[in-house]
Amino acid sequence: MDEHNKLSLGIDLSKPMTHGEYHAYWDRLARIEIRMIGKYGECHHNLGDVFYYESPYKRPEGVCTALLHVIDLYVWRAAMGFPSWNEEDPRVHRIHCPDHTGTVWAVRRVED
């Protein structure tokens, strides 16, 4: 792979992190926004609903647990700035809830 095309998450993994370096990196993680952008079936959430993860470990309250199960897989990716497969906007991960007629959510970092 061409060195210029490698993804960098801004972490030097060639040496162990100190406790302070770990906390400094953790402090740089962004909040994560999840926003409903599509609704195709029954759901107690409404189009446009927005919830926030304060950190990848702190789930938002009031969100369907089945949806959180699916979205949790992408929260760390978004928090670290890992690009999605979305060609229109690689900063946004579009995730469908587990119900085949359910909802679609945009998962993205909240930049300060």
Side-chain angles (χ1 to χ4, degrees):
M1 176 182 281
D2 180 358
E3 288 296 318
H4 299 288
N5 291 327
K6 285 189 175 180
L7 178 65
S8 173
L9 299 176
I11 303 172
D12 181 4
L13 297 176
S14 67
K15 60 182 174 133
M17 258 189 211
T18 67
H19 192 68
E21 289 168 331
Y22 173 82
H23 280 285
Y25 183 75
W26 181 263
D27 289 341
R28 291 193 318 262
L29 288 176
R31 290 173 61 203
I32 304 301
E33 175 188 281
I34 62 172
R35 177 183 302 269
M36 186 197 289
I37 59 173
K39 185 172 182 175
Y40 305 102
E42 292 183 34
C43 180
H44 76 272
H45 295 298
N46 296 305
L47 195 59
D49 278 357
V50 178
F51 299 92
Y52 294 94
Y53 280 76
E54 292 303 317
S55 81
Y57 289 124
K58 187 169 183 195
R59 288 173 152 185
E61 292 186 22
V63 179
C64 166
T65 54
L67 174 63
L68 288 175
H69 175 73
V70 175
I71 284 184
D72 278 350
L73 299 171
Y74 297 91
V75 168
W76 272 104
R77 289 174 176 95
M80 295 176 68
F82 196 87
S84 75
W85 54 88
N86 179 356
E87 290 182 5
E88 292 175 23
D89 189 349
R91 297 169 298 175
V92 177
H93 297 265
R94 290 191 174 102
I95 309 302
H96 198 289
C97 86
D99 187 327
H100 74 285
T101 63
T103 57
V104 178
W105 294 75
V107 179
R108 69 173 189 86
R109 291 169 56 103
V110 177
E111 303 294 342
D112 292 330

